[in-house]
Amino acid sequence: MAAESENKTNVIIVGGGPAGLSAATVLARAGFEPIVIERGTFSGSKNVFGGAIYSESVKELFPDFELTAPLERNNIEHKFAILGEDDSTVISYRKKPQNSVSYSVMRGKFDRWMAEQAQKEGAILVEETVVRELITENNKVIGVRTELEDYYANIVILADGVNSLLAKQIGLRKDIEPKDAAVSVKEVLKLDKQLINERFLLNDDEGCIYELFGGSMLGKLGLGFIYTNKDSISIGLGITLDELNGTGIKPYELLEKIKEHPTIAPLIEGGEVIEYSAHLIPEGGYKKIPQLYDNGVMVVGDAAMLVNNMHWEGTNLAMLSGKIAAETAIIALTKKDFSKKFLSKYKKNLEKTFIMKDLYAYRNLMDIMHDKRKIFMDIYFKKINAFFEMFTSVNGVPKRELYRKYIWEFIKDRGFFGIISDGFAVLKLLWSVLVK
Amino acid sequence: MNIDKNLSTLKYTPDTVSHLTPNPNDCKICKNRPCVNACPAGVYEWIESEGRLLVKYENCLECGACRILCEKKSLKWEYPKGTKGVMFKRG
């Protein structure tokens, strides 16, 4: 073990993903030479998402990122497909924005690019190194223990991802419950660029996102997705872990089934799997955010449960939380105060942003969805499709009869009081989102 | 789906020792063994005749689903060493 004084630095960041690298960039720009410890061979090599990165959040750190970052396609269309057993209803919003909203990217390339930017600013990246535990002294985090060496720092920023064993080690959070995380599986399918353009109605650099509701996950708390890349398609789904306990359902079988859905199959036909991957998504929301700081330590990104699953936001919250933690660290380093009390500014500043405001607004979402998933994500999805099936049918039956039959079956299938109870659940959710 | 075919798209650098260590006694009495079907890489297999959990740790995608689902909370789950495990080129 090296002596504490030899191996001591200002800030150690555990995890070289979007949260950690954002923190590193901000600290490096302020001249503090942070050390980022990444367990993968390179940044991104252990990371997976849908996915698209949000331009606004990347711009906050790298205003000219569009010139050098490895971007796939600029998303101009967002489609919401409600899949029944063999039919679907799709709502789509399409607009080529003046300024890009999001780009599809490959994390293996994008995170690596971010790491290079952070290094250019002066951050030190240590790869292929796992932090096994935090070193504490008198209720204070004073460093990290890796497989090989101990490193000491005034501040440790935990950006170690959804599993954050380190936040758990020092009691900042309890273990995640199965209902508060989803496992996501994804395939990248190689497909000719021209074919992608034709199937998704795109020009070369334009992208399209599909959110898939129902299908193989009817009645289950899970969602699927498709993202278009330059010459490949990413298709995957996330399903809450408690759906998998004692049910015999395997996540990759759900993916296989959704790929066979008649609405999806033609989009991906001929696509050859060039990469399979899986990852956890933190879904506990506001109520499960861990303690975000303690003496000498702050928690950012997925490790802090900062994911807004209603709006598919995660990497942007990671980047911004990393930035805010770094800004707090800079003041702390200037004042040489690394106490819990001082670092509480990180949480206070986070609360001023949309991050905590949004997570708070949706705090009841997952509880309601857990209660009502078999209704909202099965009966109602099917009823939406049944409505359009009825509405588009031409079968010689008078329309009044068709409408009445539809309404009668709706009431019969859900029950009059059930519908009222569902209405109240929606109102409760809307109230917490819109009012307080 | 052929999970093995999908896993063959990935680059692995397996360690010689497992980073996943279930408690054999707990596995015997575990009711649902959720790790078996929840694992996106099919790492776990219950061998009824031998009464033990087979762990193909070298296929692990390091997601952590098994750790969270472990009913007895007795699965020792660690990240593989820094140079080991799965590598996602795309992710």
Side-chain angles (χ1 to χ4, degrees):
Chain A
M1 190 192 291
E4 181 174 336
S5 55
E6 281 172 33
N7 255 358
K8 182 152 182 181
T9 184
N10 282 314
V11 183
I12 289 173
I13 298 161
V14 185
L21 293 168
S22 299
T25 303
V26 172
L27 278 155
R29 279 177 187 156
F32 286 106
E33 277 199 341
I35 295 178
V36 182
I37 304 179
E38 160 61 36
R39 70 185 184 92
T41 303
F42 53 85
S43 270
S45 66
K46 302 283 188 183
N47 294 352
V48 179
F49 79 160
I53 48 112
Y54 296 101
S55 308
E56 197 223 2
S57 57
V58 186
K59 254 183 202 155
E60 279 217 22
L61 289 145
F62 309 106
D64 301 322
F65 80 98
E66 281 153 316
L67 301 176
T68 57
L71 307 170
E72 296 288 328
R73 287 172 183 258
N74 178 10
N75 293 310
I76 63 155
E77 185 160 18
H78 211 140
K79 296 175 100 122
F80 305 85
I82 297 161
L83 308 177
E85 303 284 359
D86 57 1
D87 57 355
S88 66
T89 304
V90 184
I91 300 168
S92 172
Y93 178 72
R94 186 180 172 104
K95 182 187 182 182
K96 182 151 195 177
Q98 205 108 52
N99 297 308
S100 160
V101 175
S102 71
Y103 288 97
S104 53
V105 304
M106 303 283 183
R107 295 291 295 279
K109 295 177 188 167
F110 185 80
D111 289 18
R112 205 172 191 172
W113 172 86
M114 266 189 90
E116 285 162 13
Q117 307 311 303
Q119 283 172 290
K120 273 184 205 160
E121 302 284 355
I124 296 158
L125 182 65
V126 181
E127 289 156 330
E128 295 193 320
T129 304
V130 182
V131 172
R132 292 297 181 194
E133 59 179 325
L134 295 170
I135 306 169
T136 58
E137 190 182 270
N138 303 328
N139 275 329
K140 219 165 56 182
V141 173
I142 57 161
V144 302
R145 181 155 295 150
T146 74
E147 291 144 304
L148 301 170
E149 252 179 296
D150 291 352
Y151 295 93
Y152 296 88
N154 289 316
I155 296 175
V156 176
I157 296 178
L158 299 181
D160 53 339
V162 52
N163 285 298
S164 193
L165 302 178
L166 299 176
K168 197 184 154 231
Q169 181 214 324
I170 55 169
L172 295 184
R173 78 169 197 204
K174 295 194 186 105
D175 224 338
I176 300 175
E177 289 174 61
K179 72 173 183 55
D180 293 329
V183 62
S184 175
V185 289
K186 172 177 125 168
E187 288 178 355
V188 181
L189 307 174
K190 177 121 187 96
L191 212 57
D192 182 66
K193 188 177 197 169
Q194 209 51 45
L195 263 182
I196 296 173
N197 293 354
E198 284 166 19
R199 288 182 189 177
F200 293 85
L201 309 173
L202 303 167
N203 289 317
D204 270 359
D205 296 319
E206 295 171 349
C208 169
I209 303 171
Y210 266 86
E211 311 296 350
L212 310 176
F213 302 86
S216 60
M217 289 178 292
L218 277 168
K220 297 186 184 71
L221 203 46
L223 290 176
F225 56 83
I226 299 174
Y227 290 85
T228 54
N229 308 309
K230 273 199 169 70
D231 49 15
S232 66
I233 286 175
S234 299
I235 180 164
L237 57 85
I239 179 147
T240 309
L241 284 175
D242 61 353
E243 297 280 14
L244 299 171
N245 193 359
T247 53
I249 300 164
K250 294 180 195 297
Y252 48 86
E253 287 171 358
L254 293 173
L255 177 56
E256 198 53 28
K257 209 175 147 203
I258 216 165
K259 283 169 68 187
E260 288 163 5
H261 192 280
T263 301
I264 306 306
L267 294 171
I268 58 169
E269 198 193 331
E272 177 210 346
V273 183
I274 49 172
E275 187 173 275
Y276 173 69
S277 55
H279 205 76
L280 287 189
I281 309 168
E283 300 213 312
Y286 186 82
K287 293 174 184 173
K288 294 299 168 79
I289 293 174
Q291 191 185 320
L292 292 169
Y293 57 89
D294 207 331
N295 293 310
V297 66
M298 290 180 275
V299 192
V300 298
D302 273 10
M305 270 262 176
L306 301 178
V307 167
N308 179 349
N309 49 8
M310 181 76 191
H311 293 269
W312 306 278
E313 291 179 34
T315 51
N316 58 331
L317 310 188
M319 290 180 201
L320 189 55
S321 64
K323 179 173 174 266
I324 294 171
E327 287 162 355
T328 309
I330 290 167
I331 308 171
L333 287 161
T334 318
K335 301 203 165 172
K336 298 199 178 354
D337 184 351
F338 316 112
S339 66
K340 182 178 180 178
K341 185 160 176 272
F342 192 87
L343 296 182
S344 70
K345 284 187 200 311
Y346 162 54
K347 190 183 176 199
K348 284 195 194 89
N349 289 335
L350 212 53
E351 279 165 352
K352 287 179 197 157
T353 68
F354 71 93
I355 296 183
M356 290 301 229
K357 286 178 185 169
D358 286 353
L359 292 177
Y360 180 75
Y362 286 117
R363 68 196 179 281
N364 293 324
L365 173 73
M366 290 312 276
D367 292 342
I368 291 172
M369 290 314 290
H370 269 283
D371 280 355
K372 295 269 185 188
R373 63 193 176 205
K374 293 206 166 58
I375 295 140
F376 286 166
M377 306 191 80
D378 184 46
I379 296 177
Y380 283 96
F381 285 172
K382 285 179 180 162
K383 288 299 169 197
I384 290 169
N385 283 317
F387 176 82
F388 284 101
E389 183 180 27
M390 178 272 295
F391 197 78
T392 55
S393 64
V394 179
N395 52 11
V397 182
K399 299 301 176 202
R400 180 180 286 174
E401 250 176 66
L402 286 179
Y403 282 126
R404 285 182 173 175
K405 184 164 174 272
Y406 175 81
I407 292 166
W408 169 243
E409 279 181 0
F410 202 128
I411 295 169
K412 199 180 74 189
D413 289 351
R414 179 57 191 122
F416 183 68
F417 292 106
I419 293 169
I420 290 174
S421 142
D422 301 341
F424 271 115
V426 171
L427 281 178
K428 184 187 169 194
L429 180 62
L430 283 177
W431 185 264
S432 63
V433 174
L434 298 172
V435 188
K436 68 172 191 176
Chain B
M1 179 199 281
N2 184 341
I3 186 67
D4 291 330
K5 196 177 160 201
N6 261 6
L7 295 178
S8 72
T9 63
L10 289 163
K11 185 171 182 261
Y12 284 104
T13 313
D15 201 346
T16 49
V17 289
S18 177
H19 61 288
L20 310 166
T21 323
N23 177 329
N25 296 328
D26 282 348
C27 295
K28 268 183 202 151
I29 52 167
C30 182
K31 196 166 124 249
N32 289 318
R33 294 188 196 102
C35 55
V36 174
N37 66 23
C39 174
V43 162
Y44 301 95
E45 194 184 322
W46 177 250
I47 315 268
E48 188 63 58
S49 58
E50 297 172 34
R52 74 180 179 98
L53 196 63
L54 177 67
V55 184
K56 291 170 272 182
Y57 69 91
E58 59 278 10
N59 288 342
C60 177
L61 300 170
E62 300 163 31
C63 74
C66 55
R67 187 180 70 83
I68 292 174
L69 277 169
C70 181
E71 288 184 1
K72 306 285 173 194
K73 294 280 164 220
S74 60
L75 171 69
K76 188 168 163 245
W77 188 97
E78 293 176 317
Y79 290 119
K81 293 188 190 92
T83 52
K84 306 294 184 190
V86 70
M87 179 198 284
F88 300 119
K89 286 184 190 149
R90 295 176 180 86

